[in-house]
Amino acid sequence: MDCEQMLQLIHHYMDGGLSQWRHRAVTRHIDACPPCAHEHHTNVQVRRVVAMKCTEEAPNELRMRIFVALGTCQQEPGPLDISTKSDFRQ
């Protein structure tokens, strides 16, 4: 696994969305690559800050607009639809 592949998978890795094999490969890469370890640490820190500081609930109208938008996104595959890329299959 190279750095570019690791960066493409980092959020899936942090969310627990990788196969066991792919998760181990990312972990090994992070352990062996200081720049990627730093990137991972930065992502962990950002998530912690967001979790601690962003506790305000969105208004219902906004939540409904987001729900509708997400429904539309799921029906129309786009550049973030990774389900068709063989590299990401578990």
Side-chain angles (χ1 to χ4, degrees):
M1 172 169 295
D2 63 25
C3 296
E4 184 178 332
Q5 290 171 317
M6 194 288 303
L7 291 174
Q8 290 175 347
L9 295 172
I10 190 68
H11 294 286
H12 300 288
Y13 173 81
M14 294 174 66
D15 293 337
L18 297 177
S19 67
Q20 188 177 28
W21 175 85
R22 178 104 37 212
H23 188 274
R24 283 193 301 253
V26 172
T27 299
R28 283 192 306 270
H29 182 84
I30 289 170
D31 290 345
C33 180
C36 288
H38 178 73
E39 181 69 25
H40 176 254
H41 178 75
T42 299
N43 277 285
V44 168
Q45 294 300 97
V46 167
R47 285 184 178 211
R48 281 190 186 141
V49 169
V50 169
M52 288 178 11
K53 301 293 183 181
C54 298
T55 58
E56 186 176 331
E57 195 168 314
N60 282 336
E61 181 181 318
L62 175 60
R63 293 172 64 154
M64 290 305 295
R65 287 183 15 223
I66 292 170
F67 179 74
V68 169
L70 288 174
T72 302
C73 291
Q74 291 175 354
Q75 294 171 6
E76 300 172 12
L80 296 179
D81 181 18
I82 61 170
S83 62
T84 59
K85 295 181 182 177
S86 61
D87 287 357
F88 294 97
R89 288 193 181 147
Q90 298 181 11

